[in-house]
Amino acid sequence: LDVLLESLGADAGLAPSSDDYVIGVLRYRLVNRLLVEQWYRDHPETEAVPIEGPVHVVGLPRTGTTALG
């Protein structure tokens, strides 16, 4: 997080007026990640569910679907 924030300040060329927006987006994504992690901690039974193939990973372009495929 420190590296990301430093990079945003030094490399992104953002206007100071966008600071609140960028911090808000980062906060939203971090909170969402924590909520997902908490859900998995609260539901460990999901680890026992088998995933049977074939599995088709679909999504809009540039959303990370290549990494999931």
Side-chain angles (χ1 to χ4, degrees):
L1 182 58
D2 287 338
V3 172
L4 174 61
L5 293 174
E6 183 178 330
S7 176
L8 285 172
D11 304 325
L14 299 173
S17 61
S18 65
D19 287 353
D20 288 341
Y21 174 76
V22 171
I23 295 298
V25 169
L26 291 173
R27 180 181 294 124
Y28 170 81
R29 291 174 187 260
L30 290 170
V31 167
N32 190 54
R33 172 63 186 258
L34 290 172
L35 291 171
V36 169
E37 294 293 330
Q38 182 63 51
W39 188 90
Y40 278 109
R41 279 192 298 277
D42 292 345
H43 298 87
E45 68 277 8
T46 58
E47 291 289 327
V49 176
I51 299 174
E52 299 177 10
V55 175
H56 300 279
V57 178
V58 296
L60 295 172
R62 308 295 304 158
T63 59
T65 54
T66 300
L68 295 174

